[in-house]
Amino acid sequence: MSSFIPLAVPNLCGKELEYISKAVEEQWVSTGGSFISDFENAMASYVGTAKAVACQSGTAGLHLALIACGVKSGDEVIVPTLSFIASVNPIRYVGAYPVFMDCDDTLTMDPKKTEEFCCKCCHMKGETLYNSRTGRPITAILCVHIFGNLADMEALSAIAKRYHLKLIEDACEALGSRWETGILAGKMAGTVGDIGVYSFNGNKIITTGGGGMIVSQNAELLDRCKHLSTQAKKDTVYFIHDAIGYNYRMTNLQAAMGLAQLELLECFITQKREHYQVYLQAGCTLLPFRQGTRPNYWFYAYVTNRRDECIQYLQEHHIQSRPIWALLHTQDPYRDMESYRIKKAYDYYKCVVNIPCSTN
């Protein structure tokens, strides 16, 4: 029997044990300790923002980002239907409603249909966009960079500006992806919109086991996220709290691992690019990444008209693979939510298989 080949596993080949051991020796193992601020500062420096805020998970980061951006109960948020469900669940945490959009050929949100929806199905009242069918205000776009492939942020930014919408980037899969041409050249995923969020789950390009990070060019948004993530404690001596807060803090042990992993990120991206080229040279039909970008090559999307047969065949040969996620507007919690002209996402759902992409 051949050995099992997993889909995506961590690569802990750096100073993870050294840094974690130091945190243990210093007895800073919980939500205090120098590795947290060190990791935040290193992340901000890497992506090019003034600050960053570490948190419990990418999901927690999106929840905080929505609150900081002023999204509230009864609002609507434009989202992609092709994404992992954790991208959208935080919208319901705050009592808002998703409006699902189709994808383009990069698997990311289709800006043309997004603009069409805003123009034809909504109306402006003052500086607020309203959904003409539901009467609810639309206050944000939450876009997702799928598999490390960058969404068309130039177009989505223009839409957000035109309709006075906050733009939130779910960059959980795209740490290290950046634009190389155009007006966004040099910008990293997560730093173009009002606020961006990364995940360090076990299968991400770098991991802390769990955990996430929030970044923004707006220090006030980040300060708000930090405050809410630490139980909204206004006075640390007398335990005075000025809002409903959350225990969304990252631990010092996680941050120690994250700092070591971040030191290896560019190496991991190089390895993933090389493996992607190996698949292409072997004749695999993989979806390309957006032109004019340097993606992080996080996940590879193999295209086949025999999806289920392919997954079964690989399983029989001890190779892990997976289909793309079931479309969000078809999921039980979201069947009654609004979706707009979903077509291409169905096509890709039927033909994409993720195949092994670990860096080790």
Side-chain angles (χ1 to χ4, degrees):
M1 180 181 291
S2 61
S3 60
F4 175 71
I5 300 175
L7 180 64
V9 294
N11 188 349
L12 308 178
C13 61
K15 296 181 178 179
E16 293 86 0
L17 187 58
E18 176 186 337
Y19 292 172
I20 291 171
S21 297
K22 183 179 179 183
V24 172
E25 290 168 1
E26 295 175 347
Q27 300 187 32
W28 287 101
V29 298
S30 189
T31 54
S34 62
F35 280 110
I36 297 172
S37 57
D38 289 347
F39 187 30
E40 289 174 333
N41 292 337
M43 181 65 69
S45 176
Y46 177 79
V47 302
T49 56
K51 296 173 64 177
V53 173
C55 57
Q56 186 187 70
S57 64
T59 306
L62 289 171
H63 187 194
L64 294 171
L66 286 160
I67 297 172
C69 285
V71 178
K72 59 188 184 300
S73 181
D75 289 354
E76 291 185 350
V77 179
I78 299 172
V79 298
T81 188
L82 199 160
S83 182
F84 183 50
I85 200 166
S87 300
V88 173
N89 284 341
I91 294 169
R92 295 299 296 136
Y93 297 170
V94 301
Y97 298 88
V99 177
F100 293 102
M101 287 292 135
D102 203 2
C103 69
D104 62 18
D105 289 320
T106 67
L107 303 183
T108 64
M109 185 187 290
D110 185 338
K112 292 181 180 179
K113 287 185 178 178
T114 303
E115 166 64 31
E116 185 178 278
F117 171 77
C118 291
C119 178
K120 294 184 176 181
C121 301
C122 305
H123 63 275
M124 295 293 295
K125 188 183 297 183
E127 292 192 345
T128 303
L129 183 70
Y130 284 86
N131 185 327
S132 297
R133 187 184 71 83
T134 65
R136 298 189 188 111
I138 301 174
T139 54
I141 295 172
L142 195 161
C143 66
V144 186
H145 303 300
I146 300 294
F147 302 154
N149 209 352
L150 292 168
D152 187 347
M153 291 302 294
E154 185 175 342
L156 291 173
S157 295
I159 294 169
K161 183 177 181 179
R162 186 176 305 120
Y163 295 103
H164 304 282
L165 306 174
K166 292 293 185 181
L167 182 54
I168 300 168
E169 287 182 72
D170 180 339
C172 290
E173 302 175 3
L175 178 61
S177 296
R178 67 169 181 256
W179 285 266
E180 302 233 295
T181 61
I183 63 172
L184 298 179
K187 293 278 190 180
M188 289 282 192
T191 69
V192 176
D194 292 282
I195 198 164
V197 178
Y198 306 107
S199 167
F200 307 122
N201 192 33
N203 66 351
K204 296 301 190 292
I205 193 163
I206 69 170
T207 185
T208 60
M213 191 75 71
I214 311 167
V215 298
S216 177
Q217 305 293 359
N218 186 327
E220 290 184 7
L221 289 180
L222 293 181
D223 290 343
R224 179 68 172 158
C225 290
K226 186 76 169 182
H227 183 60
L228 292 173
S229 74
T230 55
Q231 298 287 19
K233 190 184 292 184
K234 185 178 180 180
D235 188 315
T236 59
V237 176
Y238 291 99
F239 295 93
I240 306 300
H241 305 262
D242 60 3
I244 300 296
Y246 306 89
N247 185 14
Y248 278 171
R249 296 169 291 181
M250 177 181 282
T251 69
N252 202 43
L253 289 177
Q254 290 175 312
M257 178 182 286
L259 188 62
Q261 286 272 285
L262 186 59
E263 294 172 356
L264 299 167
L265 176 55
E266 285 299 316
C267 177
F268 290 163
I269 293 173
T270 298
Q271 290 172 314
K272 280 187 172 284
R273 181 172 62 245
E274 290 173 353
H275 295 170
Y276 179 83
Q277 293 299 325
V278 168
Y279 276 123
L280 292 180
Q281 291 164 9
C284 291
T285 303
L286 301 183
L287 281 182
F289 291 88
R290 185 179 296 279
Q291 290 187 346
T293 71
R294 194 290 298 264
N296 68 357
Y297 296 91
W298 177 60
F299 256 31
Y300 310 142
Y302 175 60
V303 182
T304 172
N305 58 8
R306 301 159 71 183
R307 182 195 68 175
D308 296 338
E309 184 180 348
C310 174
I311 292 170
Q312 179 65 29
Y313 177 85
L314 292 172
Q315 183 178 347
E316 290 171 356
H317 288 77
H318 317 292
I319 299 169
Q320 187 180 18
S321 64
R322 73 176 198 190
I324 209 166
W325 315 281
L327 303 183
L328 294 181
H329 75 285
T330 69
Q331 304 273 12
D332 285 348
Y334 297 113
R335 289 185 189 276
D336 296 331
M337 306 294 175
E338 185 162 6
S339 60
Y340 182 74
R341 294 186 59 213
I342 309 296
K343 181 182 183 299
K344 193 163 285 189
Y346 281 113
D347 297 335
Y348 281 114
Y349 169 68
K350 296 173 184 176
C351 70
V352 168
V353 177
N354 292 130
I355 54 179
C357 60
S358 303
T359 55
N360 57 3

